[in-house]
Amino acid sequence: MNIKLRVEKVFKIFGSRPNEALNLLKRGESKEAIFQATGQTIGVQDASFDVLEGQIFVIMGLSGSGKSTMVRMLNGLIRPTSGKILIDGDDVASCSAAKLRDIRRNKITMVFQHFALFPHRTILENAAFGLKVKGVPQSERQAQAMAALEQVGLASWANSKPADLSGGMQQRVGLARGLATNPEILLMDEPFGALDPLIRREMQDELLALQSALKKTIIFITHDLNEALLLGDKIAIMKDGRVVQIGTAQDIVSNPADDYVAAFVADIDRGRVFTAETVASVPSVMQLDTDTAGDAVRRMEDENLNAVYVMDGEDLAGLVTYQLAAVADRDSGDDDVKLADVMVTDYPTTDRDTQLSALYGAASAGLPIAITDDDNRLLGVVEPEAVFAQISADQVEAETPEAAQAEAQMGTQEGGAR
Ligand code: ADP
Ligand code: MG
């Protein structure tokens, strides 16, 4: 994938004497100490990262960590004190005013925290607002806004007023307003920050669904780590203007870069960060035509397994449990028992991207879960213990085994509802 946006050694100092602050920074002084000494505020310090085309890149950090400052620089609203911001290779930080206007008109659009719909205008007019600001002629605005409303599933509400729509639908109008200008890069600064948790969850799912069709480059700002982990293909964590860690959700949760990140990670829902793939192991398989129940029993005894998969050539045909195979093999005396006679075909399956929280139920049944692709090929296996081990990875030490077990059982009961 192409690099759509590159941030290179960017600093932003607020105040009239930035060099003084920069010098202190180079000497290792803290943001707080520099403010005390000089009155200059460090907005962003030494930030570098790449955003790939089609990626959701999340910038996450507490209030005051520099997220909005970063976004305003990406957008060319404010200029960095030093460093480069390259969009398709053009440096927003140093290009001409005309070039910047062109980039802001054609490449990059901001979706604001409060979508601020106009109550007396129709949904269509609201969706067209960004186009008006960008100077698109009236005749084109209508069609483009309508297309954006179609993308977010609100075309039939075009002539309604905002008050006729639910909160979640109003958010989608805000999204349509951003999409109407058909930007290559969408900047979203805490767009769901003011929503109640249920609508927020809905909007997160909506954004992911939309993105799987649109494949825009999205820079998404949030102070909520769970939101970051859910949405981000890549996540940058900021503290005091500095990027302290960049990685995938799994990178960050498995290997927090420092105590600051570790503190965030401590209370996230691991079942929603890790996927089937992350706990997969290599399955043991038998061949339907050539192996017998007895072969399967010996294999399971050798490898200390409760079950093995049965393959029909390249295709997954079924699962044989130790119990069924051993009983049939014993009862048959000297005759071979065919695998077809002892295998079950309603074994649990999943795809590689399924969240572990959705596998609690199947895992607690004690059977392995087959990871399959669309062609019913067996890609790997999730052993039930692996699910619970990954979910409770950092709780084991903190709590008694009884508490951890109780928690695992609770997770099982709630598994379907999550
Ligand atoms: P966030 O969006 O992560 O909450 P901001 O980017 O808004 O953080 O702020 C980062 C730091 O820069 C904060 O210390 C803030 O007070 C400071 N800051 C932001 N904008 C300005 C400004 N225009 N003038 C002075 N300081 C600012
Ligand atoms: Mg902010």
Side-chain angles (χ1 to χ4, degrees):
M1 269 192 289
N2 290 330
I3 294 174
K4 189 69 184 171
L5 187 151
R6 163 167 278 179
V7 171
E8 225 174 84
K9 296 191 164 62
V10 164
F11 289 78
K12 177 67 187 181
I13 316 286
F14 292 106
S16 52
R17 302 190 311 280
N19 286 332
E20 218 171 291
L22 278 177
N23 284 334
L24 291 173
L25 258 188
K26 278 183 194 133
R27 279 195 252 144
E29 297 288 344
S30 72
K31 168 173 168 164
E32 181 60 33
I34 293 169
F35 181 73
Q36 294 300 334
T38 68
Q40 314 287 293
T41 302
I42 313 292
V44 166
Q45 50 171 318
D46 203 13
S48 298
F49 55 83
D50 287 339
V51 179
L52 303 185
E53 197 170 337
Q55 205 170 40
I56 300 186
F57 189 92
V58 174
I59 302 177
M60 185 265 160
L62 293 177
S63 174
S65 58
K67 308 181 296 294
S68 293
T69 303
M70 180 63 83
V71 163
R72 288 189 196 112
M73 289 191 288
L74 301 183
N75 202 12
L77 275 174
I78 55 175
R79 297 208 164 197
T81 307
S82 67
K84 288 185 181 168
I85 291 171
L86 303 166
I87 295 182
D88 289 329
D90 292 319
D91 186 6
V92 180
S94 65
C95 66
S96 68
K99 181 80 201 175
L100 182 58
R101 259 199 311 279
D102 179 50
I103 290 172
R104 296 184 62 185
R105 177 159 304 167
N106 295 312
K107 291 209 169 166
I108 194 160
T109 282
M110 180 92 158
V111 175
F112 288 98
Q113 178 163 21
H114 300 290
F115 288 128
L117 301 184
F118 300 109
H120 302 298
R121 304 215 185 145
T122 66
I123 297 306
L124 184 64
E125 287 165 342
N126 269 288
F129 180 71
L131 295 166
K132 192 172 173 182
V133 172
K134 292 199 175 194
V136 176
Q138 163 90 51
S139 53
E140 292 168 36
R141 272 186 242 154
Q142 188 109 348
Q144 287 183 34
M146 199 61 200
L149 284 177
E150 260 157 38
Q151 284 175 331
V152 301
L154 289 177
S156 60
W157 296 82
N159 296 318
S160 307
K161 297 282 170 64
D164 301 328
L165 273 60
S166 71
M169 290 159 85
Q170 291 182 28
Q171 293 288 320
R172 270 147 60 188
V173 179
L175 207 52
R177 183 187 277 174
L179 290 172
T181 60
N182 199 20
E184 296 171 20
I185 303 173
L186 219 54
L187 299 177
M188 308 181 80
D189 192 353
E190 309 217 22
F192 309 147
L195 299 177
D196 76 53
L198 281 181
I199 295 182
R200 188 169 181 152
R201 281 287 305 137
E202 228 173 80
M203 288 306 296
Q204 290 164 351
D205 289 341
E206 189 101 36
L207 182 64
L208 287 174
L210 209 57
Q211 170 68 352
S212 68
L214 292 177
K215 302 200 165 49
K216 298 276 180 194
T217 306
I218 298 178
I219 318 272
F220 189 102
I221 308 295
T222 182
H223 61 261
D224 176 343
L225 184 63
N226 272 313
E227 182 165 85
L229 297 173
L230 179 74
L231 296 178
D233 296 311
K234 267 284 168 66
I235 300 152
I237 298 186
M238 292 189 72
K239 184 192 184 217
D240 292 343
R242 204 196 310 259
V243 176
V244 294
Q245 184 166 12
I246 300 178
T248 63
Q250 290 147 20
D251 293 338
I252 287 171
V253 174
S254 322
N255 270 316
D258 60 16
D259 291 348
Y260 175 78
V261 181
F264 271 116
V265 165
D267 38 60
I268 58 107
D269 183 352
R270 299 174 67 95
R272 287 183 48 192
V273 172
F274 292 99
T275 56
E277 195 171 29
T278 63
V279 295
S281 47
V282 178
S284 270
V285 299
M286 311 297 295
Q287 280 297 333
L288 183 63
D289 289 339
T290 50
D291 293 321
T292 65
D295 295 333
V297 168
R298 283 183 290 282
R299 172 77 74 84
M300 286 184 269
E301 284 172 351
D302 284 349
E303 298 182 9
N304 193 23
L305 296 167
N306 296 324
V308 284
Y309 290 101
V310 178
M311 305 299 292
D312 185 3
E314 303 260 281
D315 295 331
L316 179 56
L319 180 79
V320 173
T321 63
Y322 183 78
Q323 212 171 6
L324 276 182
V327 169
D329 188 48
R330 187 193 62 206
D331 292 350
S332 71
D334 288 342
D335 297 334
D336 280 343
V337 178
K338 289 197 185 94
L339 284 175
D341 295 335
V342 289
M343 75 181 187
V344 293
T345 51
D346 60 345
Y347 48 87
T349 62
T350 182
D351 59 35
R352 67 206 306 168
D353 299 324
T354 301
Q355 294 173 353
L356 293 188
S357 59
L359 300 180
Y360 291 155
S364 65
L367 288 177
I369 303 161
I371 304 179
T372 53
D373 66 10
D374 293 343
D375 300 325
N376 201 33
R377 301 272 167 87
L378 181 62
L379 305 177
V381 58
V382 176
E383 297 294 345
E385 309 81 59
V387 173
F388 295 114
Q390 179 62 281
I391 286 167
S392 57
D394 57 356
Q395 297 166 1
V396 179
E397 280 175 356
E399 291 164 22
T400 62
E402 293 76 27
Q405 196 176 4
E407 186 152 1
Q409 276 164 5
M410 256 166 51
T412 304
Q413 282 156 15
E414 288 169 7
R418 286 201 196 175

Short mmCIF file of all heavy atoms in Angstrom, two decimals, residues 16-69:
data_model
loop_
_atom_site.label_atom_id
_atom_site.label_comp_id
_atom_site.label_asym_id
_atom_site.label_seq_id
_atom_site.Cartn_x
_atom_site.Cartn_y
_atom_site.Cartn_z
N SER A 16 5.50 32.88 21.41
CA SER A 16 6.22 33.76 20.47
C SER A 16 7.73 33.46 20.43
O SER A 16 8.44 34.00 19.61
CB SER A 16 5.98 35.22 20.86
OG SER A 16 6.28 35.38 22.24
N ARG A 17 8.22 32.60 21.34
CA ARG A 17 9.66 32.33 21.34
C ARG A 17 9.92 30.82 21.25
O ARG A 17 10.50 30.21 22.15
CB ARG A 17 10.29 32.90 22.61
CG ARG A 17 10.07 34.42 22.77
CD ARG A 17 10.90 35.03 23.89
NE ARG A 17 10.82 34.28 25.14
CZ ARG A 17 9.80 34.37 26.03
NH1 ARG A 17 8.77 35.16 25.78
NH2 ARG A 17 9.82 33.67 27.14
N PRO A 18 9.52 30.22 20.14
CA PRO A 18 9.59 28.75 20.03
C PRO A 18 11.01 28.21 20.14
O PRO A 18 11.20 27.12 20.66
CB PRO A 18 8.99 28.46 18.65
CG PRO A 18 9.03 29.74 17.91
CD PRO A 18 8.93 30.83 18.93
N ASN A 19 12.00 28.97 19.66
CA ASN A 19 13.37 28.43 19.67
C ASN A 19 13.88 28.17 21.08
O ASN A 19 14.57 27.18 21.32
CB ASN A 19 14.33 29.36 18.93
CG ASN A 19 14.11 29.26 17.43
OD1 ASN A 19 13.67 28.20 16.95
ND2 ASN A 19 14.36 30.33 16.71
N GLU A 20 13.51 29.09 21.97
CA GLU A 20 13.88 28.92 23.37
C GLU A 20 13.36 27.56 23.89
O GLU A 20 14.08 26.80 24.53
CB GLU A 20 13.23 30.04 24.17
CG GLU A 20 14.06 30.61 25.29
CD GLU A 20 13.37 31.85 25.84
OE1 GLU A 20 13.32 32.89 25.11
OE2 GLU A 20 12.85 31.77 26.95
N ALA A 21 12.09 27.32 23.58
CA ALA A 21 11.46 26.07 24.04
C ALA A 21 12.11 24.86 23.36
O ALA A 21 12.36 23.84 24.00
CB ALA A 21 9.97 26.10 23.75
N LEU A 22 12.40 24.99 22.06
CA LEU A 22 13.02 23.88 21.34
C LEU A 22 14.37 23.51 21.94
O LEU A 22 14.70 22.33 22.11
CB LEU A 22 13.22 24.25 19.86
CG LEU A 22 12.01 24.07 18.95
CD1 LEU A 22 12.34 24.54 17.54
CD2 LEU A 22 11.54 22.62 18.92
N ASN A 23 15.14 24.54 22.29
CA ASN A 23 16.46 24.28 22.89
C ASN A 23 16.32 23.53 24.21
O ASN A 23 17.07 22.59 24.47
CB ASN A 23 17.22 25.60 23.12
CG ASN A 23 17.78 26.12 21.80
OD1 ASN A 23 18.01 25.33 20.88
ND2 ASN A 23 17.95 27.43 21.70
N LEU A 24 15.36 23.95 25.03
CA LEU A 24 15.15 23.27 26.31
C LEU A 24 14.70 21.82 26.09
O LEU A 24 15.11 20.91 26.79
CB LEU A 24 14.12 24.03 27.16
CG LEU A 24 14.60 25.39 27.70
CD1 LEU A 24 13.45 26.13 28.36
CD2 LEU A 24 15.75 25.20 28.68
N LEU A 25 13.86 21.66 25.07
CA LEU A 25 13.40 20.30 24.75
C LEU A 25 14.58 19.40 24.40
O LEU A 25 14.68 18.27 24.84
CB LEU A 25 12.46 20.32 23.54
CG LEU A 25 10.97 20.23 23.75
CD1 LEU A 25 10.27 20.07 22.40
CD2 LEU A 25 10.57 19.08 24.67
N LYS A 26 15.48 19.95 23.57
CA LYS A 26 16.66 19.16 23.15
C LYS A 26 17.51 18.79 24.35
O LYS A 26 18.19 17.78 24.34
CB LYS A 26 17.48 19.94 22.13
CG LYS A 26 16.90 19.81 20.73
CD LYS A 26 17.74 20.50 19.67
CE LYS A 26 16.94 20.62 18.39
NZ LYS A 26 17.00 21.95 17.77
N ARG A 27 17.47 19.65 25.38
CA ARG A 27 18.24 19.33 26.60
C ARG A 27 17.48 18.38 27.52
O ARG A 27 17.93 18.08 28.61
CB ARG A 27 18.58 20.61 27.34
CG ARG A 27 19.79 21.31 26.74
CD ARG A 27 20.35 22.36 27.68
NE ARG A 27 20.06 23.71 27.20
CZ ARG A 27 19.79 24.75 27.98
NH1 ARG A 27 19.71 24.58 29.29
NH2 ARG A 27 19.57 25.92 27.46
N GLY A 28 16.28 17.98 27.08
CA GLY A 28 15.56 16.95 27.83
C GLY A 28 14.60 17.49 28.89
O GLY A 28 14.11 16.74 29.72
N GLU A 29 14.35 18.81 28.85
CA GLU A 29 13.39 19.38 29.82
C GLU A 29 11.97 18.90 29.49
O GLU A 29 11.63 18.65 28.34
CB GLU A 29 13.44 20.91 29.78
CG GLU A 29 14.78 21.51 30.18
CD GLU A 29 15.05 21.39 31.69
OE1 GLU A 29 14.08 21.14 32.45
OE2 GLU A 29 16.22 21.55 32.08
N SER A 30 11.13 18.82 30.52
CA SER A 30 9.75 18.36 30.31
C SER A 30 8.88 19.50 29.80
O SER A 30 9.22 20.68 29.94
CB SER A 30 9.17 17.83 31.61
OG SER A 30 8.93 18.90 32.50
N LYS A 31 7.74 19.12 29.23
CA LYS A 31 6.76 20.08 28.74
C LYS A 31 6.37 21.07 29.85
O LYS A 31 6.32 22.27 29.65
CB LYS A 31 5.53 19.30 28.25
CG LYS A 31 4.30 20.15 27.97
CD LYS A 31 3.20 19.33 27.34
CE LYS A 31 1.89 20.13 27.34
NZ LYS A 31 0.87 19.59 26.44
N GLU A 32 6.16 20.50 31.05
CA GLU A 32 5.75 21.29 32.20
C GLU A 32 6.84 22.29 32.61
O GLU A 32 6.57 23.49 32.79
CB GLU A 32 5.42 20.33 33.37
CG GLU A 32 4.95 20.98 34.65
CD GLU A 32 3.68 21.81 34.46
OE1 GLU A 32 2.86 21.43 33.62
OE2 GLU A 32 3.54 22.84 35.16
N ALA A 33 8.08 21.81 32.69
CA ALA A 33 9.19 22.67 33.09
C ALA A 33 9.41 23.78 32.06
O ALA A 33 9.69 24.94 32.43
CB ALA A 33 10.47 21.84 33.24
N ILE A 34 9.24 23.44 30.79
CA ILE A 34 9.45 24.44 29.75
C ILE A 34 8.38 25.53 29.82
O ILE A 34 8.66 26.72 29.66
CB ILE A 34 9.48 23.77 28.35
CG1 ILE A 34 10.72 22.89 28.24
CG2 ILE A 34 9.43 24.81 27.25
CD1 ILE A 34 10.75 21.98 27.05
N PHE A 35 7.17 25.11 30.13
CA PHE A 35 6.10 26.10 30.27
C PHE A 35 6.39 27.02 31.45
O PHE A 35 6.26 28.24 31.34
CB PHE A 35 4.74 25.42 30.44
CG PHE A 35 3.62 26.40 30.57
CD1 PHE A 35 3.17 27.12 29.47
CD2 PHE A 35 3.02 26.64 31.81
CE1 PHE A 35 2.14 28.04 29.59
CE2 PHE A 35 1.99 27.56 31.94
CZ PHE A 35 1.55 28.26 30.82
N GLN A 36 6.84 26.43 32.56
CA GLN A 36 7.16 27.23 33.76
C GLN A 36 8.27 28.24 33.44
O GLN A 36 8.19 29.40 33.82
CB GLN A 36 7.64 26.32 34.91
CG GLN A 36 6.59 25.37 35.46
CD GLN A 36 5.38 26.09 36.04
OE1 GLN A 36 5.47 27.23 36.48
NE2 GLN A 36 4.23 25.42 36.02
N ALA A 37 9.28 27.79 32.72
CA ALA A 37 10.45 28.63 32.47
C ALA A 37 10.23 29.68 31.39
O ALA A 37 10.77 30.78 31.46
CB ALA A 37 11.64 27.75 32.11
N THR A 38 9.43 29.34 30.37
CA THR A 38 9.37 30.22 29.20
C THR A 38 7.97 30.68 28.84
O THR A 38 7.81 31.59 28.02
CB THR A 38 9.92 29.48 27.95
OG1 THR A 38 8.99 28.42 27.63
CG2 THR A 38 11.29 28.89 28.19
N GLY A 39 6.95 30.05 29.40
CA GLY A 39 5.58 30.38 29.01
C GLY A 39 5.20 29.80 27.65
O GLY A 39 4.09 30.03 27.16
N GLN A 40 6.11 29.02 27.04
CA GLN A 40 5.80 28.40 25.74
C GLN A 40 5.18 27.02 25.99
O GLN A 40 5.64 26.28 26.85
CB GLN A 40 7.08 28.22 24.92
CG GLN A 40 8.00 29.43 24.89
CD GLN A 40 7.44 30.54 24.02
OE1 GLN A 40 7.34 30.40 22.81
NE2 GLN A 40 7.06 31.66 24.64
N THR A 41 4.16 26.71 25.21
CA THR A 41 3.51 25.40 25.36
C THR A 41 3.95 24.45 24.25
O THR A 41 3.89 24.81 23.07
CB THR A 41 1.98 25.53 25.32
OG1 THR A 41 1.57 26.42 26.35
CG2 THR A 41 1.31 24.18 25.53
N ILE A 42 4.37 23.25 24.64
CA ILE A 42 4.69 22.23 23.65
C ILE A 42 3.37 21.61 23.18
O ILE A 42 2.68 20.96 23.96
CB ILE A 42 5.56 21.10 24.25
CG1 ILE A 42 6.71 21.64 25.07
CG2 ILE A 42 6.00 20.13 23.16
CD1 ILE A 42 7.76 22.36 24.28
N GLY A 43 3.03 21.82 21.92
CA GLY A 43 1.82 21.19 21.38
C GLY A 43 2.12 19.78 20.92
O GLY A 43 1.46 18.82 21.31
N VAL A 44 3.16 19.66 20.07
CA VAL A 44 3.59 18.36 19.54
C VAL A 44 5.11 18.36 19.52
O VAL A 44 5.73 19.36 19.18
CB VAL A 44 3.03 18.15 18.11
CG1 VAL A 44 3.73 16.98 17.42
CG2 VAL A 44 1.52 17.90 18.14
N GLN A 45 5.71 17.25 19.92
CA GLN A 45 7.18 17.19 19.86
C GLN A 45 7.68 15.94 19.15
O GLN A 45 7.33 14.83 19.48
CB GLN A 45 7.80 17.31 21.25
CG GLN A 45 7.23 16.40 22.31
CD GLN A 45 8.07 16.46 23.59
OE1 GLN A 45 9.30 16.48 23.54
NE2 GLN A 45 7.41 16.50 24.73
N ASP A 46 8.48 16.18 18.12
CA ASP A 46 9.20 15.14 17.40
C ASP A 46 8.31 13.98 16.96
O ASP A 46 8.65 12.82 17.19
CB ASP A 46 10.34 14.62 18.27
CG ASP A 46 11.44 13.98 17.41
OD1 ASP A 46 11.40 14.18 16.18
OD2 ASP A 46 12.30 13.28 17.96
N ALA A 47 7.18 14.30 16.35
CA ALA A 47 6.27 13.25 15.91
C ALA A 47 6.63 12.80 14.49
O ALA A 47 6.84 13.64 13.61
CB ALA A 47 4.83 13.75 15.94
N SER A 48 6.70 11.50 14.31
CA SER A 48 6.91 10.93 12.97
C SER A 48 6.03 9.70 12.83
O SER A 48 6.00 8.86 13.72
CB SER A 48 8.37 10.50 12.77
OG SER A 48 9.25 11.59 12.86
N PHE A 49 5.30 9.63 11.73
CA PHE A 49 4.56 8.40 11.42
C PHE A 49 4.10 8.42 9.98
O PHE A 49 4.07 9.47 9.35
CB PHE A 49 3.37 8.18 12.38
CG PHE A 49 2.39 9.32 12.46
CD1 PHE A 49 1.38 9.46 11.51
CD2 PHE A 49 2.47 10.25 13.50
CE1 PHE A 49 0.47 10.51 11.60
CE2 PHE A 49 1.55 11.30 13.60
CZ PHE A 49 0.55 11.43 12.65
N ASP A 50 3.79 7.22 9.47
CA ASP A 50 3.25 7.09 8.12
C ASP A 50 1.83 6.56 8.19
O ASP A 50 1.55 5.67 8.96
CB ASP A 50 4.07 6.08 7.31
CG ASP A 50 5.43 6.62 6.92
OD1 ASP A 50 5.59 7.87 6.91
OD2 ASP A 50 6.33 5.82 6.63
N VAL A 51 0.99 7.10 7.34
CA VAL A 51 -0.38 6.57 7.22
C VAL A 51 -0.52 6.01 5.81
O VAL A 51 -0.28 6.71 4.83
CB VAL A 51 -1.43 7.67 7.46
CG1 VAL A 51 -2.83 7.09 7.30
CG2 VAL A 51 -1.25 8.29 8.84
N LEU A 52 -0.88 4.74 5.73
CA LEU A 52 -1.01 4.11 4.42
C LEU A 52 -2.39 4.38 3.82
O LEU A 52 -3.37 4.58 4.55
CB LEU A 52 -0.80 2.60 4.53
CG LEU A 52 0.52 2.14 5.13
CD1 LEU A 52 0.63 0.62 5.07
CD2 LEU A 52 1.69 2.79 4.40
N GLU A 53 -2.44 4.36 2.51
CA GLU A 53 -3.70 4.57 1.80
C GLU A 53 -4.72 3.51 2.23
O GLU A 53 -4.40 2.31 2.28
CB GLU A 53 -3.43 4.47 0.30
CG GLU A 53 -4.54 5.04 -0.53
CD GLU A 53 -4.12 5.14 -1.99
OE1 GLU A 53 -2.92 5.18 -2.30
OE2 GLU A 53 -5.05 5.18 -2.81
N GLY A 54 -5.93 3.94 2.54
CA GLY A 54 -7.00 3.01 2.88
C GLY A 54 -7.01 2.55 4.33
O GLY A 54 -7.84 1.73 4.73
N GLN A 55 -6.10 3.10 5.11
CA GLN A 55 -5.96 2.68 6.50
C GLN A 55 -6.83 3.57 7.42
O GLN A 55 -7.04 4.74 7.12
CB GLN A 55 -4.49 2.90 6.88
CG GLN A 55 -3.96 2.06 7.99
CD GLN A 55 -2.44 2.20 8.12
OE1 GLN A 55 -1.87 3.28 7.99
NE2 GLN A 55 -1.78 1.09 8.38
N ILE A 56 -7.30 2.98 8.53
CA ILE A 56 -7.79 3.83 9.62
C ILE A 56 -6.64 3.97 10.60
O ILE A 56 -6.20 2.99 11.21
CB ILE A 56 -9.01 3.24 10.35
CG1 ILE A 56 -10.19 3.04 9.39
CG2 ILE A 56 -9.44 4.18 11.50
CD1 ILE A 56 -11.49 2.59 10.07
N PHE A 57 -6.11 5.18 10.70
CA PHE A 57 -5.00 5.46 11.59
C PHE A 57 -5.56 6.24 12.77
O PHE A 57 -6.11 7.32 12.61
CB PHE A 57 -3.94 6.29 10.85
CG PHE A 57 -2.66 6.47 11.60
CD1 PHE A 57 -1.60 5.58 11.43
CD2 PHE A 57 -2.51 7.53 12.50
CE1 PHE A 57 -0.41 5.75 12.12
CE2 PHE A 57 -1.31 7.69 13.20
CZ PHE A 57 -0.26 6.80 13.01
N VAL A 58 -5.45 5.66 13.96
CA VAL A 58 -6.03 6.31 15.14
C VAL A 58 -4.93 7.00 15.94
O VAL A 58 -3.86 6.43 16.16
CB VAL A 58 -6.74 5.28 16.04
CG1 VAL A 58 -7.21 5.94 17.33
CG2 VAL A 58 -7.93 4.66 15.32
N ILE A 59 -5.21 8.25 16.32
CA ILE A 59 -4.31 8.94 17.26
C ILE A 59 -5.04 9.01 18.59
O ILE A 59 -6.14 9.55 18.68
CB ILE A 59 -3.96 10.36 16.76
CG1 ILE A 59 -3.30 10.27 15.38
CG2 ILE A 59 -3.03 11.05 17.76
CD1 ILE A 59 -2.97 11.62 14.76
N MET A 60 -4.44 8.37 19.60
CA MET A 60 -5.10 8.23 20.89
C MET A 60 -4.26 8.87 21.99
O MET A 60 -3.03 8.76 21.96
CB MET A 60 -5.29 6.73 21.15
CG MET A 60 -6.07 6.39 22.38
SD MET A 60 -4.94 6.10 23.74
CE MET A 60 -6.05 6.31 25.10
N GLY A 61 -4.90 9.56 22.91
CA GLY A 61 -4.17 10.13 24.04
C GLY A 61 -5.13 10.89 24.93
O GLY A 61 -6.27 11.18 24.54
N LEU A 62 -4.66 11.21 26.13
CA LEU A 62 -5.50 11.97 27.06
C LEU A 62 -5.67 13.39 26.55
O LEU A 62 -4.93 13.84 25.68
CB LEU A 62 -4.84 12.00 28.45
CG LEU A 62 -4.75 10.66 29.19
CD1 LEU A 62 -4.01 10.86 30.51
CD2 LEU A 62 -6.14 10.10 29.44
N SER A 63 -6.61 14.08 27.16
CA SER A 63 -6.83 15.49 26.85
C SER A 63 -5.53 16.28 27.05
O SER A 63 -4.84 16.09 28.05
CB SER A 63 -7.94 16.02 27.76
OG SER A 63 -8.07 17.39 27.56
N GLY A 64 -5.18 17.10 26.09
CA GLY A 64 -3.97 17.91 26.20
C GLY A 64 -2.72 17.24 25.66
O GLY A 64 -1.63 17.81 25.70
N SER A 65 -2.85 16.02 25.13
CA SER A 65 -1.66 15.30 24.66
C SER A 65 -1.19 15.74 23.27
O SER A 65 -0.12 15.33 22.83
CB SER A 65 -1.92 13.78 24.69
OG SER A 65 -3.03 13.45 23.90
N GLY A 66 -2.01 16.55 22.58
CA GLY A 66 -1.55 17.09 21.30
C GLY A 66 -2.27 16.56 20.08
O GLY A 66 -1.88 16.83 18.95
N LYS A 67 -3.37 15.85 20.31
CA LYS A 67 -4.08 15.22 19.20
C LYS A 67 -4.67 16.25 18.24
O LYS A 67 -4.49 16.17 17.03
CB LYS A 67 -5.21 14.31 19.73
CG LYS A 67 -4.75 13.31 20.78
CD LYS A 67 -5.89 12.42 21.26
CE LYS A 67 -7.03 13.15 21.97
NZ LYS A 67 -6.66 13.74 23.26
N SER A 68 -5.40 17.22 18.79
CA SER A 68 -6.04 18.22 17.93
C SER A 68 -5.00 19.08 17.23
O SER A 68 -5.16 19.45 16.06
CB SER A 68 -6.99 19.11 18.74
OG SER A 68 -8.08 18.34 19.19
N THR A 69 -3.93 19.39 17.94
CA THR A 69 -2.84 20.17 17.33
C THR A 69 -2.30 19.41 16.12
O THR A 69 -2.08 19.98 15.04
CB THR A 69 -1.71 20.39 18.36
OG1 THR A 69 -2.27 21.04 19.50
CG2 THR A 69 -0.60 21.23 17.78
#
